[in-house]
Amino acid sequence: MKKAEFIQAVSEKAGLSKKDSQKAIDAALEAISEALVAGKDVSFIGFGTFSTATRAARKARVPGTNRVVDVAKTTAVKFKVGKKLKDVVAKA
C-alpha cells in the first residue's frame, strides 16, 4: 500500500477529508520521527513499538576482493510487532 492509498483508507474509516487525513498522517509520522531522533521509543499498545538501536563501528570484508573496509557507527530504526497485530495478521 502506497501513502496515497493509505490516506484514502484513513479518510474513509475516520470520515475525514483526504486533506485532513494527510495532515494527520504527516503530523503523526513527523512526531514519531522526532521522538526516535531524540532517542525515545514510540509504543502503540497492541500494534507495536518503534525504537532505535546503535550499531558499533566495525570492520567488514568486501566479498570477492577480500579488502577490509571500516563501517562507521550507525543508528538504525527497529520495530517490534505487538501481540494483537501479530495475531490479526496470522489469522488472515
Side-chain angles (χ1 to χ4, degrees):
M1 176 181 279
K2 299 198 187 252
K3 186 175 179 182
E5 296 167 331
F6 184 69
I7 290 169
Q8 176 69 36
V10 169
S11 69
E12 290 172 3
K13 289 192 181 278
L16 299 171
S17 69
K18 280 185 174 181
K19 193 172 190 176
D20 289 342
S21 295
Q22 181 172 0
K23 283 182 184 178
I25 290 168
D26 288 344
L29 294 175
E30 185 176 336
I32 291 169
S33 298
E34 288 172 357
L36 292 172
V37 166
K40 299 177 184 176
D41 292 353
V42 179
S43 296
F44 297 101
I45 303 298
F47 182 77
T49 302
F50 294 92
S51 62
T52 57
T54 302
R55 298 194 176 142
R58 61 188 171 87
K59 296 198 181 290
R61 189 172 306 278
V62 178
T65 64
N66 286 332
R67 194 178 88 210
V68 177
V69 294
D70 291 323
V71 179
K73 174 180 138 180
T74 60
T75 301
V77 177
K78 297 188 328 183
F79 179 75
K80 183 176 182 199
V81 180
K83 184 177 181 343
K84 186 177 178 183
L85 178 60
K86 188 185 291 187
D87 291 344
V88 168
V89 171
K91 290 180 183 177

